[in-house]
Short mmCIF file of all heavy atoms in Angstrom, two decimals:
data_model
loop_
_atom_site.label_atom_id
_atom_site.label_comp_id
_atom_site.label_asym_id
_atom_site.label_seq_id
_atom_site.Cartn_x
_atom_site.Cartn_y
_atom_site.Cartn_z
N MET A 203 21.94 1.52 -4.00
CA MET A 203 21.65 0.22 -4.56
C MET A 203 20.16 -0.06 -4.69
O MET A 203 19.73 -0.79 -5.56
CB MET A 203 22.29 -0.88 -3.70
CG MET A 203 23.81 -0.88 -3.72
SD MET A 203 24.49 -1.13 -5.38
CE MET A 203 23.96 -2.81 -5.70
N PHE A 204 19.38 0.53 -3.80
CA PHE A 204 17.95 0.28 -3.80
C PHE A 204 17.19 1.59 -3.94
O PHE A 204 17.13 2.36 -2.97
CB PHE A 204 17.50 -0.41 -2.50
CG PHE A 204 18.11 -1.76 -2.30
CD1 PHE A 204 19.29 -1.91 -1.59
CD2 PHE A 204 17.50 -2.88 -2.83
CE1 PHE A 204 19.86 -3.15 -1.41
CE2 PHE A 204 18.06 -4.14 -2.65
CZ PHE A 204 19.24 -4.27 -1.95
N PRO A 205 16.60 1.87 -5.13
CA PRO A 205 15.75 3.06 -5.26
C PRO A 205 14.63 3.02 -4.23
O PRO A 205 14.30 1.97 -3.68
CB PRO A 205 15.19 2.93 -6.69
CG PRO A 205 16.18 2.07 -7.40
CD PRO A 205 16.73 1.12 -6.38
N THR A 206 14.03 4.17 -3.99
CA THR A 206 13.04 4.30 -2.92
C THR A 206 11.94 3.27 -3.00
O THR A 206 11.57 2.63 -2.01
CB THR A 206 12.41 5.71 -2.95
OG1 THR A 206 13.46 6.67 -2.90
CG2 THR A 206 11.49 5.90 -1.76
N HIS A 207 11.39 3.03 -4.21
CA HIS A 207 10.28 2.08 -4.32
C HIS A 207 10.73 0.67 -4.01
O HIS A 207 9.99 -0.14 -3.47
CB HIS A 207 9.63 2.16 -5.71
CG HIS A 207 10.47 1.64 -6.84
ND1 HIS A 207 11.30 2.46 -7.56
CD2 HIS A 207 10.62 0.40 -7.34
CE1 HIS A 207 11.92 1.74 -8.48
NE2 HIS A 207 11.52 0.48 -8.36
N ARG A 208 12.02 0.35 -4.33
CA ARG A 208 12.50 -0.99 -4.01
C ARG A 208 12.74 -1.15 -2.52
O ARG A 208 12.52 -2.22 -1.95
CB ARG A 208 13.78 -1.27 -4.79
CG ARG A 208 13.53 -1.43 -6.29
CD ARG A 208 14.77 -1.94 -7.00
NE ARG A 208 14.50 -2.11 -8.40
CZ ARG A 208 15.43 -2.47 -9.29
NH1 ARG A 208 16.66 -2.71 -8.89
NH2 ARG A 208 15.12 -2.61 -10.56
N LEU A 209 13.18 -0.07 -1.88
CA LEU A 209 13.33 -0.11 -0.43
C LEU A 209 11.97 -0.37 0.22
O LEU A 209 11.84 -1.16 1.14
CB LEU A 209 13.89 1.22 0.09
CG LEU A 209 15.42 1.34 0.15
CD1 LEU A 209 15.79 2.74 0.62
CD2 LEU A 209 15.99 0.30 1.08
N THR A 210 10.95 0.33 -0.28
CA THR A 210 9.61 0.14 0.26
C THR A 210 9.16 -1.30 0.11
O THR A 210 8.63 -1.91 1.03
CB THR A 210 8.61 1.07 -0.46
OG1 THR A 210 9.10 2.42 -0.36
CG2 THR A 210 7.23 0.98 0.16
N LYS A 211 9.38 -1.85 -1.11
CA LYS A 211 9.00 -3.23 -1.35
C LYS A 211 9.78 -4.18 -0.46
O LYS A 211 9.25 -5.16 0.06
CB LYS A 211 9.23 -3.60 -2.82
CG LYS A 211 8.17 -3.08 -3.78
CD LYS A 211 8.46 -3.49 -5.19
CE LYS A 211 8.36 -4.99 -5.37
NZ LYS A 211 8.60 -5.42 -6.74
N LEU A 212 11.10 -3.89 -0.27
CA LEU A 212 11.94 -4.73 0.56
C LEU A 212 11.44 -4.75 2.00
O LEU A 212 11.30 -5.80 2.63
CB LEU A 212 13.39 -4.23 0.51
CG LEU A 212 14.43 -5.03 1.33
CD1 LEU A 212 14.53 -6.45 0.82
CD2 LEU A 212 15.78 -4.33 1.28
N LEU A 213 11.14 -3.56 2.54
CA LEU A 213 10.63 -3.48 3.90
C LEU A 213 9.29 -4.17 4.03
O LEU A 213 9.02 -4.86 5.00
CB LEU A 213 10.52 -2.00 4.32
CG LEU A 213 11.86 -1.27 4.51
CD1 LEU A 213 11.62 0.21 4.71
CD2 LEU A 213 12.64 -1.86 5.68
N ASN A 214 8.41 -3.96 3.01
CA ASN A 214 7.11 -4.61 3.04
C ASN A 214 7.25 -6.13 3.03
O ASN A 214 6.52 -6.85 3.69
CB ASN A 214 6.25 -4.17 1.85
CG ASN A 214 5.60 -2.83 2.09
OD1 ASN A 214 5.18 -2.54 3.20
ND2 ASN A 214 5.52 -2.01 1.06
N THR A 215 8.20 -6.62 2.22
CA THR A 215 8.42 -8.06 2.14
C THR A 215 8.85 -8.61 3.48
O THR A 215 8.37 -9.65 3.94
CB THR A 215 9.49 -8.38 1.08
OG1 THR A 215 9.06 -7.88 -0.18
CG2 THR A 215 9.70 -9.88 0.97
N ILE A 216 9.77 -7.90 4.16
CA ILE A 216 10.24 -8.33 5.48
C ILE A 216 9.08 -8.39 6.46
O ILE A 216 8.91 -9.33 7.22
CB ILE A 216 11.35 -7.40 6.00
CG1 ILE A 216 12.59 -7.53 5.10
CG2 ILE A 216 11.69 -7.71 7.44
CD1 ILE A 216 13.64 -6.47 5.35
N ILE A 217 8.25 -7.34 6.42
CA ILE A 217 7.10 -7.28 7.32
C ILE A 217 6.10 -8.39 6.99
O ILE A 217 5.59 -9.08 7.86
CB ILE A 217 6.41 -5.90 7.24
CG1 ILE A 217 7.37 -4.83 7.77
CG2 ILE A 217 5.11 -5.89 8.00
CD1 ILE A 217 6.93 -3.41 7.47
N LEU A 218 5.84 -8.56 5.67
CA LEU A 218 4.84 -9.53 5.25
C LEU A 218 5.21 -10.95 5.64
O LEU A 218 4.38 -11.75 6.03
CB LEU A 218 4.67 -9.48 3.72
CG LEU A 218 3.79 -8.34 3.21
CD1 LEU A 218 3.87 -8.29 1.70
CD2 LEU A 218 2.36 -8.54 3.65
N ARG A 219 6.50 -11.27 5.55
CA ARG A 219 6.91 -12.63 5.83
C ARG A 219 6.78 -13.01 7.30
O ARG A 219 6.92 -14.16 7.67
CB ARG A 219 8.34 -12.84 5.34
CG ARG A 219 8.38 -12.94 3.82
CD ARG A 219 9.78 -13.09 3.29
NE ARG A 219 9.75 -13.20 1.83
CZ ARG A 219 10.83 -13.18 1.06
NH1 ARG A 219 12.03 -13.06 1.60
NH2 ARG A 219 10.71 -13.29 -0.25
N SER A 220 6.51 -12.02 8.12
CA SER A 220 6.28 -12.31 9.54
C SER A 220 4.80 -12.53 9.83
O SER A 220 4.40 -12.76 10.95
CB SER A 220 6.79 -11.16 10.41
OG SER A 220 6.03 -9.99 10.18
N HIS A 221 3.97 -12.47 8.76
CA HIS A 221 2.53 -12.70 8.91
C HIS A 221 2.10 -13.78 7.94
O HIS A 221 2.59 -13.84 6.81
CB HIS A 221 1.75 -11.41 8.64
CG HIS A 221 2.09 -10.30 9.59
ND1 HIS A 221 3.22 -9.53 9.46
CD2 HIS A 221 1.43 -9.87 10.70
CE1 HIS A 221 3.25 -8.63 10.44
NE2 HIS A 221 2.19 -8.82 11.20
N GLN A 222 1.13 -14.58 8.31
CA GLN A 222 0.68 -15.65 7.42
C GLN A 222 -0.22 -15.11 6.32
O GLN A 222 -0.18 -15.58 5.21
CB GLN A 222 -0.09 -16.71 8.23
CG GLN A 222 0.84 -17.56 9.09
CD GLN A 222 0.08 -18.68 9.74
OE1 GLN A 222 -1.14 -18.63 9.89
NE2 GLN A 222 0.80 -19.71 10.13
N ASN A 223 -1.06 -14.14 6.62
CA ASN A 223 -1.98 -13.61 5.63
C ASN A 223 -1.94 -12.09 5.68
O ASN A 223 -2.73 -11.47 6.37
CB ASN A 223 -3.40 -14.12 5.88
CG ASN A 223 -4.35 -13.68 4.78
OD1 ASN A 223 -3.92 -13.23 3.73
ND2 ASN A 223 -5.64 -13.82 5.02
N PRO A 224 -1.03 -11.46 4.93
CA PRO A 224 -0.84 -10.03 5.02
C PRO A 224 -1.95 -9.21 4.39
O PRO A 224 -2.08 -8.04 4.67
CB PRO A 224 0.48 -9.80 4.28
CG PRO A 224 0.52 -10.90 3.27
CD PRO A 224 -0.10 -12.08 3.96
N ILE A 225 -2.75 -9.82 3.52
CA ILE A 225 -3.79 -9.08 2.81
C ILE A 225 -5.12 -9.65 3.23
O ILE A 225 -5.51 -10.72 2.81
CB ILE A 225 -3.61 -9.19 1.29
CG1 ILE A 225 -2.22 -8.73 0.88
CG2 ILE A 225 -4.66 -8.41 0.56
CD1 ILE A 225 -1.89 -8.97 -0.57
N GLN A 226 -5.84 -8.93 4.06
CA GLN A 226 -7.11 -9.45 4.52
C GLN A 226 -8.01 -8.34 5.03
O GLN A 226 -7.57 -7.26 5.40
CB GLN A 226 -6.89 -10.50 5.62
CG GLN A 226 -6.14 -9.95 6.84
CD GLN A 226 -5.87 -11.04 7.85
OE1 GLN A 226 -6.34 -12.15 7.72
NE2 GLN A 226 -5.10 -10.71 8.87
N ASN A 227 -9.30 -8.66 5.04
CA ASN A 227 -10.30 -7.77 5.63
C ASN A 227 -10.19 -6.34 5.13
O ASN A 227 -10.19 -5.39 5.90
CB ASN A 227 -10.19 -7.78 7.17
CG ASN A 227 -10.40 -9.16 7.73
OD1 ASN A 227 -11.20 -9.93 7.20
ND2 ASN A 227 -9.69 -9.49 8.79
N SER A 228 -10.07 -6.19 3.80
CA SER A 228 -9.95 -4.84 3.25
C SER A 228 -11.27 -4.11 3.40
O SER A 228 -12.31 -4.60 2.97
CB SER A 228 -9.55 -4.91 1.78
OG SER A 228 -10.35 -5.84 1.08
N ASP A 229 -11.25 -2.95 4.01
CA ASP A 229 -12.45 -2.13 4.21
C ASP A 229 -12.43 -1.02 3.19
O ASP A 229 -11.76 -0.02 3.37
CB ASP A 229 -12.47 -1.57 5.63
CG ASP A 229 -13.73 -0.77 5.91
OD1 ASP A 229 -14.61 -0.74 5.03
OD2 ASP A 229 -13.83 -0.19 7.00
N THR A 230 -13.17 -1.21 2.08
CA THR A 230 -13.05 -0.26 0.97
C THR A 230 -14.43 0.18 0.50
O THR A 230 -14.74 0.16 -0.67
CB THR A 230 -12.29 -0.91 -0.20
OG1 THR A 230 -12.90 -2.18 -0.49
CG2 THR A 230 -10.84 -1.13 0.13
N SER A 231 -15.27 0.57 1.42
CA SER A 231 -16.56 1.12 1.04
C SER A 231 -16.38 2.48 0.40
O SER A 231 -15.34 3.09 0.50
CB SER A 231 -17.46 1.23 2.28
OG SER A 231 -16.90 2.15 3.19
N THR A 232 -17.43 2.95 -0.25
CA THR A 232 -17.35 4.22 -0.97
C THR A 232 -16.86 5.34 -0.07
O THR A 232 -15.99 6.12 -0.46
CB THR A 232 -18.75 4.58 -1.53
OG1 THR A 232 -19.26 3.45 -2.22
CG2 THR A 232 -18.65 5.75 -2.47
N GLY A 233 -17.37 5.42 1.15
CA GLY A 233 -16.99 6.50 2.04
C GLY A 233 -15.52 6.50 2.38
O GLY A 233 -14.86 7.53 2.39
N ASN A 234 -14.96 5.32 2.68
CA ASN A 234 -13.55 5.23 3.05
C ASN A 234 -12.63 5.59 1.90
O ASN A 234 -11.54 6.10 2.09
CB ASN A 234 -13.23 3.81 3.53
CG ASN A 234 -13.82 3.51 4.89
OD1 ASN A 234 -14.13 4.44 5.63
ND2 ASN A 234 -13.99 2.25 5.21
N MET A 235 -13.07 5.27 0.68
CA MET A 235 -12.19 5.46 -0.48
C MET A 235 -12.16 6.90 -0.95
O MET A 235 -11.20 7.34 -1.56
CB MET A 235 -12.64 4.57 -1.63
CG MET A 235 -12.55 3.09 -1.32
SD MET A 235 -12.95 2.12 -2.75
CE MET A 235 -11.58 2.51 -3.81
N ALA A 236 -13.22 7.64 -0.70
CA ALA A 236 -13.35 8.97 -1.29
C ALA A 236 -12.17 9.87 -0.98
O ALA A 236 -11.72 10.65 -1.82
CB ALA A 236 -14.66 9.61 -0.80
N SER A 237 -11.66 9.77 0.24
CA SER A 237 -10.61 10.68 0.65
C SER A 237 -9.21 10.12 0.41
O SER A 237 -8.23 10.85 0.52
CB SER A 237 -10.76 11.01 2.14
OG SER A 237 -10.68 9.82 2.91
N SER A 238 -9.11 8.83 0.09
CA SER A 238 -7.78 8.22 0.02
C SER A 238 -7.28 7.98 -1.39
O SER A 238 -6.10 7.73 -1.59
CB SER A 238 -7.79 6.89 0.78
OG SER A 238 -8.68 5.97 0.18
N ILE A 239 -8.15 8.01 -2.38
CA ILE A 239 -7.76 7.74 -3.77
C ILE A 239 -7.82 9.03 -4.58
O ILE A 239 -8.80 9.78 -4.51
CB ILE A 239 -8.67 6.67 -4.39
CG1 ILE A 239 -8.46 5.33 -3.69
CG2 ILE A 239 -8.42 6.53 -5.88
CD1 ILE A 239 -9.33 4.21 -4.18
N GLU A 240 -6.78 9.26 -5.34
CA GLU A 240 -6.73 10.45 -6.20
C GLU A 240 -7.48 10.16 -7.50
O GLU A 240 -7.32 9.09 -8.10
CB GLU A 240 -5.28 10.78 -6.53
CG GLU A 240 -5.12 11.94 -7.50
CD GLU A 240 -3.69 12.12 -8.00
OE1 GLU A 240 -2.81 11.32 -7.59
OE2 GLU A 240 -3.46 13.04 -8.80
N HIS A 241 -8.31 11.09 -7.91
CA HIS A 241 -9.05 10.95 -9.16
C HIS A 241 -8.61 12.04 -10.14
O HIS A 241 -8.63 13.23 -9.81
CB HIS A 241 -10.56 11.04 -8.90
CG HIS A 241 -11.10 9.89 -8.11
ND1 HIS A 241 -11.56 8.74 -8.69
CD2 HIS A 241 -11.20 9.70 -6.77
CE1 HIS A 241 -11.94 7.90 -7.74
NE2 HIS A 241 -11.73 8.46 -6.57
N ARG A 242 -8.21 11.60 -11.31
CA ARG A 242 -7.71 12.54 -12.32
C ARG A 242 -8.41 12.31 -13.65
O ARG A 242 -8.88 11.20 -13.94
CB ARG A 242 -6.20 12.37 -12.52
CG ARG A 242 -5.38 12.70 -11.29
CD ARG A 242 -3.91 12.32 -11.47
NE ARG A 242 -3.30 12.98 -12.62
CZ ARG A 242 -2.07 12.75 -13.06
NH1 ARG A 242 -1.31 11.84 -12.43
NH2 ARG A 242 -1.59 13.39 -14.09
N THR A 243 -8.49 13.36 -14.44
CA THR A 243 -8.97 13.24 -15.82
C THR A 243 -7.79 13.55 -16.73
O THR A 243 -7.19 14.62 -16.65
CB THR A 243 -10.13 14.21 -16.10
OG1 THR A 243 -11.23 13.89 -15.23
CG2 THR A 243 -10.59 14.09 -17.55
N ILE A 244 -7.44 12.58 -17.58
CA ILE A 244 -6.26 12.69 -18.43
C ILE A 244 -6.68 12.58 -19.88
O ILE A 244 -7.45 11.68 -20.25
CB ILE A 244 -5.24 11.58 -18.08
CG1 ILE A 244 -4.80 11.69 -16.61
CG2 ILE A 244 -4.03 11.63 -19.01
CD1 ILE A 244 -3.92 10.56 -16.14
N ASN A 245 -6.20 13.50 -20.70
CA ASN A 245 -6.51 13.45 -22.13
C ASN A 245 -5.60 12.44 -22.81
O ASN A 245 -4.38 12.58 -22.80
CB ASN A 245 -6.33 14.83 -22.77
CG ASN A 245 -6.80 14.85 -24.21
OD1 ASN A 245 -6.03 14.64 -25.13
ND2 ASN A 245 -8.09 15.09 -24.40
N VAL A 246 -6.20 11.40 -23.37
CA VAL A 246 -5.44 10.34 -24.04
C VAL A 246 -6.12 9.97 -25.36
O VAL A 246 -7.33 9.79 -25.40
CB VAL A 246 -5.31 9.08 -23.16
CG1 VAL A 246 -4.56 9.38 -21.87
CG2 VAL A 246 -6.66 8.47 -22.83
N ASN A 247 -5.35 9.90 -26.41
CA ASN A 247 -5.86 9.38 -27.68
C ASN A 247 -7.16 10.06 -28.13
O ASN A 247 -8.06 9.43 -28.68
CB ASN A 247 -6.07 7.86 -27.55
CG ASN A 247 -6.21 7.15 -28.87
OD1 ASN A 247 -5.71 7.62 -29.90
ND2 ASN A 247 -6.89 6.02 -28.88
N GLY A 248 -7.30 11.35 -27.83
CA GLY A 248 -8.46 12.12 -28.28
C GLY A 248 -9.67 12.06 -27.38
O GLY A 248 -10.72 12.61 -27.72
N ILE A 249 -9.57 11.40 -26.23
CA ILE A 249 -10.69 11.37 -25.28
C ILE A 249 -10.20 11.76 -23.89
O ILE A 249 -9.00 11.72 -23.61
CB ILE A 249 -11.35 9.98 -25.20
CG1 ILE A 249 -10.38 8.94 -24.63
CG2 ILE A 249 -11.90 9.55 -26.55
CD1 ILE A 249 -11.04 7.61 -24.27
N ASN A 250 -11.13 12.14 -23.03
CA ASN A 250 -10.82 12.41 -21.62
C ASN A 250 -11.10 11.16 -20.80
O ASN A 250 -12.23 10.66 -20.79
CB ASN A 250 -11.66 13.58 -21.10
CG ASN A 250 -11.25 14.89 -21.75
OD1 ASN A 250 -10.07 15.21 -21.84
ND2 ASN A 250 -12.25 15.64 -22.22
N MET A 251 -10.07 10.65 -20.16
CA MET A 251 -10.17 9.40 -19.40
C MET A 251 -10.10 9.67 -17.91
O MET A 251 -9.16 10.31 -17.43
CB MET A 251 -9.06 8.44 -19.82
CG MET A 251 -8.96 7.17 -19.00
SD MET A 251 -7.75 5.99 -19.66
CE MET A 251 -8.76 5.14 -20.87
N HIS A 252 -11.08 9.17 -17.18
CA HIS A 252 -11.05 9.24 -15.72
C HIS A 252 -10.19 8.12 -15.17
O HIS A 252 -10.33 6.95 -15.59
CB HIS A 252 -12.47 9.13 -15.15
CG HIS A 252 -12.48 8.86 -13.67
ND1 HIS A 252 -12.84 7.65 -13.14
CD2 HIS A 252 -12.13 9.65 -12.61
CE1 HIS A 252 -12.73 7.69 -11.82
NE2 HIS A 252 -12.31 8.89 -11.48
#
Side-chain angles (χ1 to χ4, degrees):
M203 293 300 294
F204 297 92
T206 306
H207 69 268
R208 290 190 179 176
L209 271 177
T210 305
K211 282 180 66 178
L212 181 62
L213 291 171
N214 280 322
T215 301
I216 294 169
I217 294 168
L218 281 172
R219 286 178 179 171
S220 66
H221 298 80
Q222 287 187 338
N223 185 14
I225 304 173
Q226 59 184 353
N227 300 325
S228 48
D229 183 5
T230 51
S231 64
T232 310
N234 288 339
M235 297 185 67
S237 60
S238 63
I239 293 178
E240 176 189 1
H241 293 270
R242 296 172 58 185
T243 299
I244 300 174
N245 187 267
V246 298
N247 197 26
I249 65 169
N250 292 312
M251 173 173 274
H252 166 252

